[in-house]
């Protein structure tokens, strides 16, 4: 079974609009972390936002916010006021294995976002 | 955020030769580093987890004799692709956890695009 599922291979959004990128996860580890990374065409992975499994509030970082719904095992990324520079591949990732100390990071298949002028 | 430097960013080598890729944490100590492989338009696949001073833990299906990992210090891990073949051509990317940040997130290097001709 997929541990991290991103069901949107590609998304379009108009500049200055908000967009939500979906991510669902599956784990039996009681302690885990959820991350979103941006990968532009140059290839580097840019950390955007983090949500811990025990965090009560949704994480926010500037224009990025994470809509964490633990019961539904979803961790959607919301980008507000989209900019042309936001066009990139976006990966949802989960860190699990804290109890065993293995700390594996597992990535979804990604969503390619294109911001339209 | 913490800085992870990966070198080289691009390498072209002849089939049958070996290539070494370095991953350095520049401003923090990293007991654990991760090596990923990414095929075009696909997600990051974890190859191995590298622990300082001990043997790397390889994921299922990854040939440990082909992809040699050494993590000799808290700031340096190397991946050597031995006897490279064209099918080894890929984007290789490393990441490291910053202990000072409680290991919450993993920071990524810039990636290495390997082309075997």
């Amino acid at each position: 079974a997929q541990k991290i599922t991103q069901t949107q291979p590609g998304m379009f959004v108009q500049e200055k609009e908000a967009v939500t990128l979906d991510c669902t996860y599956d784990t039996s580890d009681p302690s885990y972390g959820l991350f979103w990374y941006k990968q532009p065409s140059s290839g580097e992975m840019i950390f955007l936002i983090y949500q811990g499994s025990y965090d009560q509030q949704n994480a926010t970082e500037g224009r990025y916010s994470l809509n964490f719904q633990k019961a539904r095992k979803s961790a959607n990324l919301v980008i507000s006021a989209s900019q042309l520079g936001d066009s990139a591949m976006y990966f949802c990732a989960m860190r699990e294995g804290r109890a065993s100390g293995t700390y594996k990071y597992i990535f979804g298949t990604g969503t390619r976002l294109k911001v339209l002028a | 955020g913490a800085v992870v430097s990966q070198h080289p960013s691009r390498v072209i080598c002849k089939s049958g030769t070996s290539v070494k890729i370095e991953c350095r944490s520049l401003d923090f100590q990293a007991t654990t580093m991760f090596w990923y492989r990414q095929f075009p338009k696909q997600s990051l696949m974890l190859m191995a987890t590298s622990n300082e001073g001990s043997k790397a833990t390889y994921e299922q299906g990854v040939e440990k004799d082909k992809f040699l990992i050494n993590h000799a210090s808290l700031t340096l891990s190397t991946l050597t692709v031995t006897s490279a073949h064209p099918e080894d051509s890929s984007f290789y990317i490393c990441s490291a956890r910053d202990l000072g940040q409680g290991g919450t997130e993993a920071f990524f290097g810039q990636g290495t695009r390997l082309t075997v001709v």
Side-chain angles (χ1 to χ4, degrees):
Chain A
Q2 291 287 334
K3 291 255 184 178
I4 293 282
T5 303
Q6 293 180 253
T7 57
Q8 307 153 313
M11 289 280 285
F12 289 95
V13 64
Q14 206 67 40
E15 193 180 8
K16 300 180 185 178
E17 299 280 309
V19 63
T20 298
L21 306 184
D22 295 341
C23 174
T24 57
Y25 61 92
D26 183 29
T27 183
S28 57
D29 199 328
S31 178
Y32 53 90
L34 297 158
F35 304 79
W36 277 92
Y37 286 88
K38 173 184 178 181
Q39 187 180 43
S41 56
S42 53
E44 76 266 32
M45 296 289 283
I46 301 169
F47 167 76
L48 296 178
I49 197 166
Y50 164 79
Q51 180 86 41
S53 58
Y54 293 118
D55 293 343
Q56 295 295 314
Q57 293 188 324
N58 287 344
T60 59
E61 289 284 351
R63 295 186 298 111
Y64 304 107
S65 61
L66 199 151
N67 184 1
F68 181 45
Q69 298 188 44
K70 195 170 183 178
R72 300 174 71 173
K73 292 190 174 180
S74 73
N76 299 338
L77 175 70
V78 180
I79 305 175
S80 62
S82 297
Q83 302 172 355
L84 295 178
D86 294 335
S87 294
M89 194 75 167
Y90 288 79
F91 289 100
C92 178
M94 176 173 65
R95 184 208 67 225
E96 61 175 5
R98 183 171 182 173
S100 60
T102 56
Y103 284 110
K104 281 190 179 182
Y105 291 76
I106 303 163
F107 286 80
T109 50
T111 296
R112 184 166 297 282
L113 178 66
K114 176 71 173 176
V115 180
L116 305 173
Chain B
V3 179
V4 175
S5 176
Q6 191 171 336
H7 178 80
S9 57
R10 288 179 180 272
V11 58
I12 301 173
C13 71
K14 289 185 177 180
S15 187
T17 62
S18 295
V19 174
K20 180 184 283 188
I21 303 170
E22 292 187 348
C23 180
R24 293 181 185 272
S25 55
L26 297 186
D27 52 359
F28 66 98
Q29 293 184 328
T31 57
T32 305
M33 289 186 175
F34 305 90
W35 287 96
Y36 295 87
R37 181 173 183 176
Q38 187 180 28
F39 290 103
K41 299 184 180 181
Q42 293 190 26
S43 186
L44 279 71
M45 299 302 297
L46 180 65
M47 298 174 66
T49 302
S50 165
N51 294 297
E52 185 264 339
S54 64
K55 291 183 179 180
T57 302
Y58 289 81
E59 294 300 300
Q60 192 173 8
V62 178
E63 298 175 61
K64 58 182 68 177
D65 294 331
K66 176 115 182 118
F67 299 100
L68 299 179
I69 291 172
N70 183 278
H71 193 161
S73 76
L74 284 173
T75 59
L76 173 65
S77 176
T78 60
L79 167 67
T80 302
V81 183
T82 62
S83 187
H85 288 95
E87 57 265 31
D88 298 325
S89 298
S90 190
F91 189 67
Y92 294 88
I93 191 164
C94 70
S95 71
R97 288 172 53 231
D98 182 354
L99 295 179
Q101 293 291 323
T104 298
E105 60 184 283
F107 297 93
F108 284 81
Q110 304 93 320
T112 298
R113 192 163 301 283
L114 170 64
T115 303
V116 185
V117 298

